[in-house]
Amino acid sequence: MNTIKEIPGSLSALCLFLASICSVPLQAADLLEVYQKARDADPQFRSAGFDHQASREILTQAWSGYRPSIALSYDRSKMRQEIRESDNVLFNTGSTSFPTSVVTLSLTQPVFRYANYLRIGQAHSELKQADAELANSEQELMLRVAETYINALAAADNLAFLQAERTALEQQLELATARQKAKLGRMADRLEAEARLASVGADYAEAEVNLHDAYEALSEMTGEHPGSLSQLIEQFPMIEPSPADADHWVEAAMKQNWELEAQRQAMEVSNREIAKQKAEHYPTLDLRLQNTINDTGGTLFGGGSEVETRELMLSLNIPIYQGGSTSSRTREAAYRHESNREELTRLLRKVRRESQRTFSDIINAIKRATAREKEVMAQEEVLKFKQAGYKAALSTNLSVLDAERDLYSAKRDYSRARYDYLLNSLKLKAVVGTLSEEDLVGLNNWLTSEPNAGRINSLTENEEARIE
């Protein structure tokens, strides 16, 4: 277990930045609040939800192929007949016109349709595939929200470090300028400080853009500006995955990864499609009941009629040749099945690599955070000695500027290592298929919305104390 000390300035810099782009005060939003808003508003996740609802209709449609169908038809016509020639001496000439209406009610019950029967099993596989895709979308949303949120916090930290570094460089420039005026320092010292300050100023401008973009990424998912964000607490445990065995996590991912499960079901669907297309060669048998009422308003020979006809029939259809379409669709289904097999192979290799890499990234993040923490403390001492040496004319101004740069570079790396640990911990659970809202709750417990507006000021005061 490794406990982490304070990283200065993230919330304060974030607030300073937001103040420049917003005219109203914003309340801090924690990770769970952003996630709940994203569940309701993220177009990508909502689209996946509608796709899942649409997929649930597949089973009903498949069963309809074995359920009875009922149809009612009505035909109304006006008929005109004329005798042009007839051997009937009674009706050798003449014409007539009369209306005719035909009402038909029919019921058809499939008795044997093997392709329709196979379609029902295929629909069950498609429903399982849709369930797996929805579960994968839910985990993907949790991971996207967490990653975007963490990136916003990291961008705020980076802006704060640059602000503190810029303040320190400004005061170092003042000192170099004063020493030059007093004939105690060189013009080169002042120019070096000006150049370094300009470089940090350029980085600060870029960091402002990155922070704004990080907030826009959250807005893209939630549909609204999140306001200020809760920051990471000063100390939280960094624990290796348990068990600390990469093979365990690889094996779990192979069994439980939702993307893999969706592709396995896609394989089953395509396999059943081959059998279904082959079944189109089989005969079909339907039972048909039909009731027809034919109402004729007249005939050529006089008088109308109303005739009701009831029919019960078995209809056997034996396909012999359909232009080669059935065989062609069977071959097409076989090719698509092989395509799905290759996609499954690709995903198996991808998941294996991702699970191994993510496990290693967690271990690496813990080691980096521990090492960077020690580096920050060492660089702080180095900077103190360099500043004292510069005052005593024992070290150059450039060495002080380099020490400032190295210190804040170490702080940025330390901050990034902490965030990498959090993000990779979630990624490992996602690739294994076990990421849940409880994991977001656990991360959210390490965030605080307590005001910390004095942090950037205290940091500046510390830098001033060092220079003085």
Side-chain angles (χ1 to χ4, degrees):
M1 180 181 299
N2 182 29
T3 56
I4 308 301
K5 295 183 179 179
E6 178 180 0
I7 297 180
S10 61
L11 183 60
S12 300
L14 198 149
C15 293
L16 288 173
F17 175 74
L18 291 177
S20 67
I21 61 174
C22 302
S23 59
V24 295
L26 299 172
Q27 293 183 343
D30 63 25
L31 179 61
L32 284 180
E33 291 174 357
V34 174
Y35 171 67
Q36 292 299 334
K37 290 179 180 179
R39 279 190 67 90
D40 296 334
D42 180 60
Q44 183 175 332
F45 180 68
R46 285 174 58 83
S47 175
F50 287 122
D51 286 341
H52 182 260
Q53 291 180 0
S55 298
R56 297 190 67 84
E57 299 299 325
I58 292 174
L59 190 57
T60 301
Q61 295 168 17
W63 272 107
S64 69
Y66 251 106
R67 289 172 179 160
S69 60
I70 302 174
L72 176 66
S73 64
Y74 173 76
D75 295 319
R76 177 76 175 180
S77 62
K78 181 75 172 179
M79 184 176 293
R80 176 179 175 81
Q81 292 181 330
E82 181 177 354
I83 298 177
R84 295 181 179 273
E85 182 179 348
S86 175
D87 294 332
N88 192 322
V89 296
L90 297 178
F91 300 98
N92 56 355
T93 61
S95 64
T96 185
S97 62
F98 52 87
T100 300
S101 61
V102 180
V103 180
T104 302
L105 178 63
S106 63
L107 182 148
T108 303
Q109 172 62 59
V111 177
F112 178 77
R113 288 180 176 264
Y114 191 51
N116 291 7
Y117 171 75
L118 294 178
R119 177 65 187 125
I120 296 173
Q122 185 185 38
H124 280 288
S125 296
E126 290 182 17
L127 192 56
K128 291 179 181 178
Q129 179 185 357
D131 290 340
E133 288 173 347
L134 181 63
N136 187 62
S137 296
E138 290 175 341
Q139 297 213 332
E140 192 269 342
L141 175 67
M142 287 186 276
L143 193 59
R144 275 195 297 126
V145 170
E147 183 173 11
T148 307
Y149 193 100
I150 287 173
N151 286 341
L153 295 183
D157 277 355
N158 188 44
L159 191 67
F161 295 141
L162 288 169
Q163 171 62 38
E165 184 177 4
R166 186 169 65 175
T167 300
L169 288 172
E170 287 172 349
Q171 298 190 8
Q172 186 68 22
L173 175 59
E174 292 177 3
L175 180 59
T177 302
R179 289 172 65 88
Q180 180 187 355
K181 291 180 179 179
K183 307 300 184 181
L184 299 176
R186 304 173 303 157
M187 183 183 2
D189 292 342
R190 177 178 60 81
L191 295 176
E192 289 168 352
E194 288 178 350
R196 191 65 57 86
L197 182 60
S199 176
V200 172
D203 292 340
Y204 186 87
E206 182 180 358
E208 285 184 315
V209 173
N210 292 337
L211 180 58
H212 182 273
D213 183 67
Y215 267 71
E216 287 301 316
L218 288 172
S219 300
E220 184 179 348
M221 289 185 289
T222 62
E224 62 183 58
H225 198 285
S228 60
L229 302 180
S230 298
Q231 64 175 355
L232 194 61
I233 61 176
E234 297 176 2
Q235 297 182 4
F236 66 91
M238 299 180 74
I239 307 172
E240 293 184 357
S242 179
D245 178 13
D247 292 338
H248 166 83
W249 295 99
V250 170
E251 182 179 354
M254 291 297 171
K255 294 179 180 178
Q256 301 170 189
N257 181 271
W258 285 112
E259 189 176 9
L260 277 179
E261 177 60 21
Q263 187 58 33
R264 289 190 180 102
Q265 293 302 326
M267 278 277 294
E268 182 64 21
V269 170
S270 61
N271 187 48
R272 290 177 180 269
E273 180 66 18
I274 298 174
K276 185 169 75 70
Q277 292 300 332
K278 288 180 178 179
E280 296 294 336
H281 289 292
Y282 291 22
T284 62
L285 181 64
D286 296 333
L287 176 65
R288 182 179 177 85
L289 175 63
Q290 181 171 297
N291 189 80
T292 303
I293 299 176
N294 192 323
D295 185 3
T296 303
T299 66
L300 185 64
F301 306 105
S305 65
E306 181 176 329
V307 180
E308 182 175 2
T309 305
R310 294 186 180 91
E311 297 177 274
L312 178 63
M313 68 186 78
L314 281 175
S315 177
L316 176 65
N317 179 44
I318 302 176
I320 297 176
Y321 181 69
Q322 296 176 307
S325 62
T326 301
S327 297
S328 177
R329 286 194 296 267
T330 302
R331 291 192 299 271
E332 178 188 359
Y335 290 139
R336 295 195 184 281
H337 180 66
E338 291 304 315
S339 175
N340 281 326
R341 187 191 303 278
E342 294 301 319
E343 178 64 13
L344 179 60
T345 301
R346 184 190 71 82
L347 288 176
L348 284 168
R349 296 174 182 176
K350 171 191 170 187
V351 169
R352 177 181 294 276
R353 178 182 60 83
E354 286 182 348
S355 54
Q356 290 177 332
R357 176 59 187 269
T358 308
F359 176 85
S360 300
D361 284 344
I362 295 174
I363 305 300
N364 177 263
I366 295 174
K367 293 179 179 178
R368 283 192 294 118
T370 302
R372 295 303 184 187
E373 183 181 16
K374 294 178 180 178
E375 182 184 5
V376 168
M377 292 187 292
Q379 288 293 347
E380 287 176 341
E381 295 301 317
V382 169
L383 180 58
K384 290 179 182 178
F385 283 117
K386 294 291 185 181
Q387 289 172 336
Y390 179 67
K391 292 177 181 179
L394 299 176
S395 60
T396 64
N397 184 57
L398 182 59
S399 66
V400 176
L401 298 177
D402 288 343
E404 291 279 5
R405 178 196 60 200
D406 294 342
L407 172 61
Y408 286 103
S409 176
K411 287 184 176 182
R412 278 188 289 271
D413 292 341
Y414 176 39
S415 171
R416 188 68 257 181
R418 285 170 30 118
Y419 291 129
D420 286 346
Y421 166 78
L422 295 175
L423 185 57
N424 285 316
S425 296
L426 297 179
K427 283 183 177 179
L428 183 61
K429 292 189 175 183
V431 76
V432 173
T434 59
L435 184 62
S436 66
E437 286 192 38
E438 292 182 0
D439 298 304
L440 296 186
V441 171
L443 174 55
N444 202 63
N445 290 335
W446 293 343
L447 300 174
T448 176
S449 58
E450 294 179 2
N452 201 7
R455 179 172 280 188
I456 190 68
N457 295 328
S458 64
L459 179 61
T460 304
E461 291 169 2
N462 290 338
E463 297 298 336
E464 291 176 352
R466 284 186 189 146
I467 295 175
E468 292 174 354

